[in-house]
Amino acid sequence: MATRRLLSFLEQNKVGYRLATHRTAYSAMRTAEEAHVKGAEMAKSVALMVDGNPVLAVVPATMSVSFKRMKELLGAREVSLLDERKLDEYFPDCETGAMPPVGAMYHMEVVADSELEYDDRISFNAGTHKEIVTMNFQDWRRLVHPRFAAIHRSGLGELTI
């Protein structure tokens, strides 16, 4: 179970957190609503393939990832969603689409949108569609070591998720 693995990882790294259970929700905004968390504080993890390598892009639930910006930032030729059939391979302990934005647990680089830096807290799926973790943003930053950039969609015509 992802939740147990995630909580163990946080505890081993001496990071405080709050675990909350809510009704099942399959989108980040719906999860935020169910858990009574601001959409800007709720982090959405998007699994990408960047030139053949898996990368976690993390944006607020209120935003979408810009493939164009990811390509520019990473100097990549190709950016696409990780094939949903391969999510189990990369995130074997998570429900499909509920992966936490903790790349170290999955041997992945994390690229986070700079908009996340405006909140003192961050909330995210704990590997299921029924549980979220909320923690201090600076603790998450220290633990995850994400690369920050404006990776959210800003206009029409961009391929986004």
Side-chain angles (χ1 to χ4, degrees):
M1 170 183 240
T3 303
R4 188 172 334 147
R5 181 175 173 209
L6 173 64
L7 300 184
S8 176
F9 182 77
L10 295 176
E11 290 164 6
Q12 288 171 2
N13 285 281
K14 299 180 180 10
V15 174
Y17 63 88
R18 181 175 50 97
L19 179 67
T21 303
H22 56 81
R23 287 189 300 193
T24 302
Y26 294 102
S27 73
M29 276 305 296
R30 186 75 183 130
T31 298
E33 290 169 12
E34 289 294 335
H36 307 289
V37 171
K38 295 184 299 183
E41 180 185 304
M42 182 72 196
K44 172 171 52 175
S45 296
V46 180
L48 303 175
M49 286 302 280
V50 178
D51 290 340
N53 297 306
V55 172
L56 271 179
V58 184
V59 294
T62 56
M63 298 181 172
S64 299
V65 175
S66 166
F67 284 25
K68 178 182 176 186
R69 288 185 178 196
M70 289 294 293
K71 283 174 82 169
E72 291 168 356
L73 174 68
L74 300 174
R77 291 181 313 281
E78 187 177 331
V79 173
S80 62
L81 281 177
L82 186 78
D83 186 326
E84 191 171 307
R85 294 169 296 193
K86 291 195 172 209
L87 284 175
D88 286 346
E89 179 182 324
Y90 288 99
F91 305 98
D93 57 350
C94 294
E95 292 177 3
T96 303
M99 53 275 186
V102 184
M105 289 177 52
Y106 303 100
H107 311 289
M108 289 186 187
E109 177 181 3
V110 175
V111 179
D113 193 88
S114 50
E115 291 291 320
L116 289 166
E117 295 181 284
Y118 294 111
D119 262 297
D120 293 336
R121 294 180 302 176
I122 186 169
S123 298
F124 49 86
N125 282 329
T128 75
H129 293 288
K130 294 180 182 181
E131 297 168 300
I132 68 164
V133 163
T134 299
M135 59 188 293
N136 177 282
F137 178 80
Q138 293 305 325
D139 286 342
W140 177 80
R141 179 184 207 143
R142 179 180 50 80
L143 185 64
V144 174
H145 303 287
R147 182 188 304 195
F148 284 97
I151 61 169
H152 63 275
R153 178 179 170 214
S154 64
L156 298 174
E158 291 185 61
L159 184 58
T160 61
I161 292 298

